[in-house]
Amino acid sequence: DGGITQSPKYLFRKEGQNVTLSCEQNLNHDAMYWYRQDPGQGLRLIYYSQIVNDFQKGDIAEGYSVSREKKESFPLTVTSAQKNPTAFYLCASSTPGQGLRETQYFGPGTRLLVL
Amino acid sequence: ELKVEQNPLFLSMQEGKNYTIYCNYSTTSDRLYWYRQDPGKSLESLFVLLSNGAVKQEGRLMASLDTKARLSTLHITAAVHDLSATYFCAVDMGAEYGNKLVFGAGTILRVKS
């Protein structure tokens, strides 16, 4: 089955700790995205990558880092510089330029909580 | 900066009634998405609207796009309880910006029996 997987489902972070959220897709999509969702709000873009070994900052990139070494994978690291990391993190992927197939598909999400 | 505004933000309606959710956006785009989110879950794609005048229907939901007015609507016909969820519209910034999406705040829909 093609799809996007995220792990873990729940993640607990201690003060000053860096944590990494995993996102993998087997849809052969070129573009991948990380969004953050706070309770009762819409999604905000953290980082995105249109191609392997390249990525751009989104609207709220401070305190986060990413890598895109493989087409299938786009991990997100929440660093200790992110002072308010508690949120629901969603990874998405798409293949731009494919018309109706251009929809961004979302993974199941990771809920990050600070201890 | 692109702004996307949805209204209403909260909608409580009786089963069998009709209602419309509105999505206004501030700059030019010819691509808009509607997503559904159930509590604690991820986003499910409902509609992709690709051009001015596009209309898509799936069951009791119908979405339309007017790019000149920078307005999309999601119309609910004869609501049923299963439609209770949060609905988001999202506007595509275009290839120049990596096709990143800017989301509205969401409309929480509660359908009462």
Side-chain angles (χ1 to χ4, degrees), chain A residues 31 33 35 37 40-43 45 48 50 57-59 88 90 96-97 99-100 102-109 111, chain B residues 31 33 35 37 39-43 45 47-48 50 56 88 92 95-106 108:
Chain A
Y33 308 81
Y35 294 90
Q37 185 179 32
Q41 298 187 31
L43 281 66
L45 182 66
Y48 65 102
Q50 295 175 270
K57 292 182 179 179
D59 301 316
F88 189 40
L90 289 158
L100 288 177
E102 195 167 326
T103 301
Q104 281 191 23
Y105 294 95
F106 285 81
R111 200 165 296 278
Chain B
R31 193 178 304 269
Y33 303 85
Y35 289 91
Q37 186 178 38
K41 303 293 186 182
S42 185
L43 271 68
S45 177
F47 300 108
V48 182
L50 298 178
K56 296 281 184 68
F88 292 97
D92 191 317
E96 182 182 353
Y97 298 98
N99 293 104
K100 63 179 185 178
L101 300 183
V102 178
F103 282 80
I108 299 172

